Structures are given as structure tokens and as C-alpha cells.
Amino acid sequence: MQIGIVGLPHCGKSTLFQTITKTHLDTSELAMTEAHQAVIKVPDTRLDKLTEIFQPKKKTNAAIEFVDMIGLQKGDSGSAKFTGNFLSKVKTSDALIQVVRLFENELIPHPNGSINMMRDIETFETEFLISDLTIIEKRIENLKKQILKLNDDQLRRELSVLEKCYNYLHEEKPLRYVDLPKEEMQLLRSYQLLTIKPMLIALNLNESQISDRSFGKDVEGYMDILVKKKIGHNTKAVAFYGKIEIELSEFSDDEAEMFMKDYGISESALNRLIAEAYSLLGLQSFFTVGEDECRAWTIKKGVNAQEAAGEIHSDFYKKFIRAEVVHHDDFIKYGSFAKAKEQGAWRLEGKEYIVKDGDIIAIRHS
Ligand SMILES: Nc1nc2c(ncn2[C@@H]2O[C@H](COP(=O)(O)OP(=O)(O)O)[C@@H](O)[C@H]2O)c(=O)[nH]1
Ligand SMILES: [Mg+2]
């Protein structure tokens, strides 16, 4: 899974990227022309627990790739404009994090001259809408010509889906707000549209006014505005203090915990971002355990046991017989597979079993 970090210049994209990927970019890299990417391990206390118990040779966390996107340029007209390089990178992301600047910093002026959350969000959305409209318009034109020649039903279906999307975009509705049926989503996939991607809005708060436990209050105010403006489906928001997160990432775990307590921050931005990204994308984890390896796997919600087996190995999909399943919480509660079995918490499930977040699974195969 890949998540692209986007936003206006100097909003804190690279700052967020550095804190979540724990990489250090030097100043020459910050003025970069290339996107940075890094794979991070998804922190998971459940996996940590299992690793303590099984003492495996190897522990493997689920992984997400983050990309620090660049290439948004301010045009002479004052509007934002995307470069081709930026667009091609963004198109491959599964979801986007849009960083919105709320911090003041006189040394680094905001590109639009002032702090204004809704204006910045809308600037970005507009560019995305225009980019999608351009792609769809072109395709509609081509399809109409083809249909005249071929009179093909499949093409006609595609045309009707695209016309529907065109109308939404024309009403300035991002496509992620619209609940499109699975087949239509499938059909649209090849266009790599931007407004269809789940979006996490990451508010980079102003730390200069931070006081004891002010984090919660700051966030509430902004969230209220976002809710009133009706940010729609497949859109969520989180808030963080870019400056403080950078400092936190240099602390030891104990120091960081004390520091966060002082400001009423209950969890690091990384953990909250990942949790929100998972829920936006409809993702969840299951575990495999043993002496060799304890591992977290990422799957979509609603995936069945056979599909989950295929995630581990394609052979497991084909040769699937049964899945041994016990939920992580039950395993911890009873302390062993044997005890869990006694209590009826350990089960043999068929291929149609819908895997739950936190299931520990062993695949029986032929
Ligand atoms: N005061 C303050 N400065 C920040 C914050 N986040 C980023 N900056 C600074 O703003 C500048 C631009 O940040 P950067 O992450 O490079 O923005 P990008 O252009 O979106 O990648 C850098 O000098 C950062 O140190 C923040 O939360 N507070
Ligand atoms: Mg940057």
C-alpha cells in the first residue's frame, strides 16, 4: 500500500514525512526535485505481544510506503498548478494525505500570504477536480466516436459511467464522495483519477500557542469547521504539531511519553495517521505466529479465509482446506492455543469465513 503526502509548498509535507518515516532529510534534499519514499513498519502492540510469547527468529510488521510528493508550483496567475511528474506519482498512490498549514512562521511565508484552512483545502481540491475533468472529457469524446463506429454495449456502459462522473465533478463533488458500485470502480481504475482516492486531511497546527492540554481544544475547533463544511465520504481529518513531532522523534520513548502527556497528546501522529489511513482504506490485520516468524498481514475488510491464505502464499489459496482461527484477544486471555481450544475460542473455519481484525490464523492446505 502506498500513501502520497501532498499539499501546498511549505505546509509541512517533508516535516510529516520525516517524523513518520523517521528518516532525516538534509536541507539540500528538502529543496528537492524528486519525491522521497520510505517504507515504514506499521506499529502494532498486538504483534509485539505475540512476539514476546513466541520468541520467533523474526518479527514482521505490516508495511506502508509513504511518498513525500513535490512538484506543485504556483503559477503566475496565483493558482496552484501540478507538474506532470507530480501527477504521475500521485496517480499510483492508494490514498492521499493532504497536509494543511495552520502554523505561523514569519521566516517561511505561506505561499498564499496567510493561514486559511478552507481556502487551502479548496485550492487543492479544485486542481484535482480539473485534472479529473480533463481526463474524463477526453475519454468521453473518444468513446462517443468509437460507439458511432462499433455500437458496442460495453463501450456504452463505460460512457454512461463516465458521464455520471463528469456530472459529479462538474458540481464540484470529488468522486470519493460518491458511493460507486464495485463494477464501476473497477471500470474507472485504469483512469487513475485523483478525486477518487481516499483523502486524509492532516492539519499541521500552530505550536506557538500550545499550552497545557491545548491539543484537544485546537483540534476540536478545526474539526468543527470541517464538519460544518461537510467534508464528505472517504475523507477524514487528523491534526498534529509538525514542529513538536520532529522534536519528539529525537526523544527516547520515555521522554516522548512524558512530553506528550504534558500537552495532552495521547498518541504520536504516526500512530493516529496509520489508524485513520487503515480505516479510510477499509484495511485490517491478521497474524501468523510460530517459532520462525510472527507476522502481521494487511487485508481489506470483508476478505474471506481463502483470500487471506492467498495473501500469505498463492499456493495456500489454491490448496486451501481449512483455517485454524483464534482471535488475538482470546489467545492472550487464555494464554495458549490448547486453553483457547478448551474454551471453544479456537476454531476450524472453512474458506467462506470472513476474517476479523486481530485473528491469528494457521492455514491447513493440501
Ligand atoms: N513553526 C513551525 N514550522 C514548521 C512546522 N512544520 C514545518 N515547519 C517548517 O516550515 C518549513 C517548510 O516545511 P516542510 O516540511 O519542508 O514543508 P513542505 O514544503 O511542505 O515539504 C520548514 O522550515 C519547517 O521546519 C510547524 O508545525 N511549525
Ligand atoms: Mg518538502
Side-chain angles (χ1 to χ4, degrees), residues 292-353:
D292 284 336
E293 187 185 32
C294 286
R295 180 161 181 171
W297 302 84
T298 305
I299 48 167
K300 285 236 173 216
K301 290 202 167 111
V303 158
N304 68 31
Q306 187 181 19
E307 290 162 334
E311 209 38 57
I312 302 171
H313 202 292
S314 53
D315 270 0
F316 287 6
Y317 180 87
K318 286 181 235 146
K319 298 175 180 168
F320 181 94
I321 299 174
R322 285 263 186 282
E324 302 172 18
V325 181
V326 58
H327 194 271
H328 164 273
D329 298 353
D330 289 331
F331 181 78
I332 297 300
K333 185 163 137 198
Y334 299 121
S336 71
F337 285 121
K339 284 260 164 56
K341 201 168 182 176
E342 263 173 43
Q343 301 294 326
W346 180 99
R347 306 164 328 266
L348 269 181
E349 300 280 5
K351 58 182 172 192
E352 298 302 334
Y353 169 74

Side-chain angles (χ1 to χ4, degrees), residues 261-275:
K261 229 184 210 159
D262 282 349
Y263 289 113
I265 303 171
S266 59
E267 226 180 354
S268 79
L270 169 66
N271 290 0
R272 281 179 291 119
L273 272 169
I274 289 176

Side-chain angles (χ1 to χ4, degrees), residues 30-31 34 36 38 64 72 80 82 94 97 104 116 134 241 257 272 292 318 338 341 365:
L30 285 171
E34 291 281 315
H36 289 280
I64 302 182
L72 184 82
F82 298 140
D94 299 298
I97 295 180
E104 309 271 354
N116 184 331
T134 314
Y241 293 104
E257 199 175 313
R272 281 179 291 119
D292 284 336
K318 286 181 235 146
K341 201 168 182 176
H365 54 88

